[in-house]
Amino acid sequence: MVKNYENIKQRLRGSVTPLITPFKANYEVDYEKQTELIDYQLQNGTHAISVTGTSGEPSSLTLEERVYVMENAHKAIRGRVPFAPGTGSTNHEETMYLTKKAQEIGADAAMVIVPYYNKPNQHALFKHFKTVADAVDIPIIVYNIPGRTAVNMEVETLARLREECPNIIGVKESNKDFEHVNRVLLHCGRDFMLFSGIELLCYPMLAIGGAGSISATSNVEPKKVADMHNAWAEGDVEQAQNLHFELMKLNDVLFKDTNPAPVKAALGMMGKIEPVLRLPMDVPSEKLQNEIYETLMDYGKVLQQT
């Protein structure tokens, strides 16, 4: 019997925050701070939470840490909103293991990235995702981010996966090619869940039928990002457009260095975390940090230094 995924497709919409992984000054994962960040997100209207996606520095975590981060997040969320952790890796068996773990933990869905570094062809991508999807009942969101994986999940490959794997219910498209994302819905079906992973395309993707966004900016400004989706859902197009443009300056500065370095710097300035990254990632330049601080002042997220 084919499992019905309509319930989660109705619930997993709007602003899905791809939460950063907070570290202590000694580089250990700060699980207490992760819980605090989740509460901050939900108090500001975020519609769903993801962890260990790109913003969560998964390649800097051990396999055991990734499981602990997922478990702690699931416990902190307490079923208040859907939970869709990132379970992908450049290693197929790790991806299988983490996706099965997400199902065991009780996640509502798993977000599986196109494998990075090894540049598989489209046939290999199909086999990888089909094998993972066939091994679990949990819904799968494909994560396509060619700027960091060096390979694009082509529309034809995605459409074939959608046809052959009932639990592949959507895609996070961190693809700046807006023609590509239009064709995703054309060939995968208008009911296929399309999430934007490109901040300046979060609003435009709603206009073509997108389900929401998985935007790193929502770590810093969760309310405005959630409110943009709420306005769109309520039919207030002008307000959704206004919030889209209000967010642009913050979106721009948070991507002047590799994500999540600027986001962590911003959260550090806001007093939310220690702005620590594990090598080979590191904090932004002093010049960019100053620019981030000035931008946060404009958004009322920090007080002027005296």
Side-chain angles (χ1 to χ4, degrees):
M1 183 177 70
V2 175
K3 189 172 180 179
N4 190 317
Y5 297 102
E6 288 307 311
N7 180 263
I8 188 59
K9 289 175 72 174
Q10 291 302 315
R11 292 173 54 234
L12 185 58
R13 291 182 172 272
S15 176
V16 183
T17 294
L19 203 72
I20 59 97
T21 301
F23 298 127
K24 300 176 183 179
N26 64 359
Y27 300 100
E28 292 180 358
V29 177
D30 192 334
Y31 295 102
E32 289 185 10
K33 194 64 69 176
Q34 183 194 35
T35 297
E36 292 175 11
L37 290 174
I38 287 170
D39 286 339
Y40 170 69
Q41 287 292 319
L42 301 190
Q43 289 162 8
N44 282 276
T46 291
H47 302 112
I49 297 286
S50 181
V51 296
T52 60
T54 301
S55 299
E57 297 173 78
S59 60
S60 296
L61 301 173
T62 67
L63 202 59
E64 184 178 52
E65 285 173 330
R66 289 189 66 170
V67 173
Y68 287 159
V69 167
M70 289 195 295
E71 289 176 338
N72 190 65
H74 183 257
K75 180 180 178 182
I77 293 166
R78 303 195 310 274
R80 289 176 286 174
V81 296
F83 175 46
T87 60
S89 165
T90 192
N91 181 290
H92 176 75
E93 291 302 322
E94 285 186 2
T95 302
M96 293 279 284
Y97 172 76
L98 290 167
T99 308
K100 289 177 180 178
K101 277 293 182 182
Q103 179 167 287
E104 290 175 20
I105 290 165
D108 297 282
M111 187 170 63
V112 182
I113 195 169
V114 168
Y116 38 91
Y117 177 73
N118 43 26
K119 296 181 68 174
N121 61 34
Q122 296 299 304
H123 177 67
L125 278 181
F126 174 83
K127 288 178 66 177
H128 170 69
F129 277 93
K130 187 174 190 313
T131 304
V132 173
D134 286 349
V136 295
D137 291 327
I138 193 171
I140 301 291
I141 306 291
V142 174
Y143 180 13
N144 187 32
I145 180 168
R148 293 184 79 145
T149 63
V151 64
N152 185 47
M153 169 74 79
E154 300 295 344
V155 173
E156 294 78 9
T157 307
L158 193 58
R160 185 181 171 199
L161 283 167
R162 195 270 158 92
E163 181 179 355
E164 297 194 23
C165 305
N167 58 331
I168 293 184
I169 63 169
V171 61
K172 174 185 177 181
E173 280 287 354
S174 294
N175 192 325
K176 292 184 178 181
D177 183 349
F178 200 56
E179 290 188 14
H180 169 93
V181 297
N182 275 268
R183 296 186 190 283
V184 166
L185 289 183
L186 177 66
H187 293 282
C188 294
R190 300 273 291 279
D191 62 333
F192 196 62
M193 302 188 76
L194 174 66
F195 294 91
S196 176
I198 298 292
E199 275 60 25
L200 265 61
L201 295 183
C202 290
Y203 171 75
M205 281 200 196
L206 293 176
I208 64 169
S213 65
I214 307 175
S215 162
T217 299
S218 60
N219 279 279
V220 176
E221 185 61 280
K223 190 174 188 306
K224 284 186 186 293
V225 178
D227 283 351
M228 183 185 72
H229 289 282
N230 293 338
W232 176 260
E234 293 163 6
D236 191 344
V237 174
E238 183 177 3
Q239 177 63 359
Q241 290 174 340
N242 288 342
L243 287 164
H244 166 72
F245 285 104
E246 284 180 28
L247 285 162
M248 281 185 66
K249 184 176 180 181
L250 183 60
N251 286 332
D252 285 346
V253 78
L254 292 179
F255 286 87
K256 288 192 173 183
D257 195 356
T258 304
N259 181 49
V263 169
K264 281 195 159 183
L267 288 171
M269 295 169 194
M270 292 164 61
K272 298 293 183 186
I273 64 167
E274 291 286 339
V276 175
L277 297 95
R278 287 179 175 173
L279 293 172
M281 301 287 286
D282 203 0
V283 297
S285 68
E286 183 177 350
K287 178 182 178 183
L288 179 53
Q289 289 192 54
N290 289 336
E291 188 175 349
I292 292 168
Y293 185 83
E294 294 294 327
T295 303
L296 292 177
M297 282 183 54
D298 291 343
Y299 281 79
K301 308 301 284 188
V302 292
L303 298 175
Q304 186 169 5
Q305 292 177 339
T306 57

